[in-house]
Each structure stands twice: as C-alpha cells, then as structure tokens.
Amino acid sequence: SIDKLPKEGNDTGTEVTLNNNNTSPTTTMCRQVYFWGGGKAGSTSLFFTLTRGPGGQGNPQNTGPFVREVGKEPCQGSAWKQWEALTKNTNLCRGGSDSNSFTHLLNGCPRETSAQYARKVMTLSDDPKFLMLIRDPVDRYVSFLNDEVRRGGSKMNIENTARNRFGMTLARQGAALKNLLSVIKDPKQILIIPMESISINADGVIDAIMDHVGGRRWKRNETEDVKMNVGSTDNYEYVTLSHNTTEILRNKLRQDVLLLESLVGKRFSWSSWARNDMNTTSGEEEAWLVTSPFG
C-alpha cells in the first residue's frame, strides 16, 4: 500500500542495461502502464501531464519518462494494433535514467474495464502497471451524461436519462476493480488514485505514480489543476440532478461502492452515503492520497 508518499527527492531511478563498452544504456522494451477505466475522472489531464509535462497538450517538451507520441485511447481495432506494435518496438525506450531517455509507454484508454481486456493486456507484458482513477460514481455518471450532450451532440434529457440508468458501466468501479484483480498476478500492480487527490496534491500524486511504475521522477513546474469537467462554460450550462434522482442512483450504486471499498481496503472521502452510517462521518479513516488494493 502506498498510503504515505516518500519524501521529495527519494528518486527510485530505473534499471539501466549497459552495452559492451559499459558506457551508455542500450535499447530495450518500454515498460507498459495502463489506465484502468478513468473516464470522467481526470484521465485526459493526467495523461497529458504524464506524457507532455505541466504544459499538457500544448507543451513542446517532455522531460518525463513516458513516450510522448502515443495516442491517448488505443482501446480497440486499428488503434490497439498500433499500440501492440509500440510495445514490441525496441527503439523507443533506452532504459536509462538520464533525462533524455524514455522508459515507459502509457495507454490512456478511459473505457475498458472487462476481464477480457485485462487478459489481452497480459499477453503483452508479464508485469504491466495500472492506474485506476476513482470518483464519486454519481458525479462521474452525471459528468458522462453532460459530456454526451456537450461534446457528443446528444439531445438527451439528462435527468430522464439518469433515471433510466443508461450507460452506467463507467460508474461501477467496484466491479471494474474486481475484473482486473481476477486476472493480474499481484494487487500491487494497481495504484488507486482518488480524483480529489489530484486537486489536493497533484505533484505528490505524480511522484507516487512514478514510484509505482518504477520510473524516475522528473523536475517540473507546479502541476496545473486537473480539469474535472463539472462546470459550465460560455457555450454550455452544466446540468446537475435533482435530489430524488441522485438518491435513485445512489441506491443503485451502493453495493458497488461497498465492493470497491472492500477491495481497496480504505474508505473514500465521499462514500458515507453508501453505508448505513450515511448521516455521520464517525469512524472515517484519515485522509489518504493513493494506495494499492488489498485484492
């Protein structure tokens, strides 16, 4: 469990393979890292921060260890085929610890959470690492519906759609984690990241990610706040749900939240509504930033 972050500067480094002259790193396979789900929980901002640095999509330089030129969502089809080719490319990553060496590939697919997908990942690596972003499932679901209207062009009535529980797979985070744990060898391959942790201490989360994946920390300016997709813009007024509809969704998702917490071994800051003590916060654990699940 990574409950308390290492002190700043405690760089774990990366394994270095020397050539015959013992002077520089040789080429090697990139280490693979995957988002597990992640949609509507800050995955886009986190992906571009990790692969392009604090400037995100507009940053011309990446001083971190993740290969930059990788599409964010190689989930299926031809995009997955391209991803497979990248994982087998020995020219992308040098395996060294110097600031100009890439060592890792990051697959930012935000949707896939099935055991079948996990098995497909395991055919490409014996020890992939996973980053699982967690968010209050009702908020996550509402964000998804708003995005379908704002960017997807849907004409749906969000309140009515929510009552019918269309497209709720993304919100079932307990089931998603259970699927992954049923396939991988070790729960410590997974890093659980509450979305609110990125807002509280984004740089601490990123350092914890690098320690989790076995990559070197890199110097960067203070990381920009993650974009939570919860507010109105000049062109769109974000829709929230009525109290009654919110309670309908909470009742539907309550058992999944309890499953999630049982697998993680910790409670979340928003999850009191899922338990019988929903009107109190007594017995809550102290705040935590990231962790690995119990399994």
Side-chain angles (χ1 to χ4, degrees):
S1 169
I2 311 176
D3 306 327
K4 295 183 179 179
L5 294 176
K7 294 181 180 180
E8 189 67 29
N10 183 19
D11 193 331
T12 59
T14 53
E15 181 180 350
V16 178
T17 304
L18 299 180
N19 63 15
N20 292 334
N21 296 323
N22 292 334
T23 57
S24 63
T26 62
T27 57
T28 186
M29 294 288 196
C30 299
R31 303 178 191 180
Q32 298 172 38
V33 183
Y34 294 80
F35 281 177
W36 190 250
K40 306 300 109 188
S43 62
T44 298
S45 292
L46 183 58
F47 177 86
F48 284 112
T49 295
L50 290 172
T51 59
R52 302 194 181 187
Q57 298 186 50
N59 187 17
Q61 299 293 327
N62 173 14
T63 59
F66 287 99
V67 175
R68 176 179 175 181
E69 299 302 332
V70 178
K72 175 180 177 286
E73 301 185 12
C75 303
Q76 300 289 347
S78 60
W80 177 262
K81 292 294 185 183
Q82 292 172 4
W83 169 261
E84 284 185 309
L86 289 174
T87 65
K88 299 171 184 177
N89 189 326
T90 58
N91 295 318
L92 289 175
C93 295
R94 296 177 59 205
S97 59
D98 63 275
S99 61
N100 295 317
S101 294
F102 294 136
T103 54
H104 290 69
L105 279 170
L106 177 60
N107 185 317
C109 179
R111 297 181 296 278
E112 297 293 339
T113 58
S114 68
Q116 179 181 4
Y117 179 74
R119 286 190 287 270
K120 185 165 67 170
V121 168
M122 294 300 294
T123 65
L124 301 180
S125 173
D126 290 333
D127 187 31
K129 304 300 183 185
F130 297 90
L131 309 177
M132 186 172 183
L133 287 157
I134 301 295
R135 182 181 182 182
D136 182 309
V138 176
D139 292 344
R140 191 171 194 165
Y141 180 51
V142 174
S143 180
F144 162 72
L145 295 179
N146 273 274
D147 207 45
E148 288 292 292
V149 174
R150 175 162 45 189
R151 295 195 298 178
S154 172
K155 303 298 183 184
M156 75 172 73
N157 179 293
I158 289 177
E159 183 85 13
N160 291 340
T161 303
R163 282 180 172 268
N164 292 326
R165 300 184 293 279
F166 162 77
M168 283 190 69
T169 301
L170 189 68
R172 301 187 186 281
Q173 299 163 115
L177 180 55
K178 183 178 180 180
N179 287 342
L180 181 56
L181 288 168
S182 73
V183 174
I184 65 173
K185 300 176 181 178
D186 184 353
K188 293 188 181 300
Q189 290 174 251
I190 308 168
L191 189 68
I192 302 295
I193 309 170
M195 180 176 170
E196 58 269 20
S197 291
I198 305 176
S199 297
I200 294 169
N201 185 358
D203 287 312
V205 169
I206 293 171
D207 282 343
I209 288 172
M210 299 320 304
D211 295 342
H212 173 68
V213 304
R216 58 179 171 78
R217 297 182 180 185
W218 78 100
K219 293 181 179 180
R220 56 194 179 276
N221 296 325
E222 184 176 349
T223 304
E224 297 176 351
D225 289 339
V226 65
K227 297 175 178 61
M228 295 190 182
N229 190 31
V230 296
S232 300
T233 66
D234 292 340
N235 301 317
Y236 182 78
E237 184 176 354
Y238 193 88
V239 177
T240 57
L241 300 181
S242 67
H243 174 77
N244 287 341
T245 300
T246 297
E247 289 304 309
I248 289 172
L249 294 178
R250 284 179 170 181
N251 286 332
K252 191 68 176 179
L253 292 165
R254 181 166 282 111
Q255 291 304 313
D256 185 79
V257 172
L258 296 177
L259 172 62
L260 175 66
E261 291 192 330
S262 71
L263 295 173
V264 172
K266 291 184 178 294
R267 293 180 174 181
F268 293 88
S269 63
W270 43 263
S271 65
S272 60
W273 58 258
R275 298 185 296 275
N276 292 331
D277 59 341
M278 65 178 64
N279 294 319
T280 179
T281 58
S282 62
E284 292 285 350
E285 298 182 52
E286 62 183 64
W288 53 279
L289 201 65
V290 300
T291 193
S292 287
F294 280 0

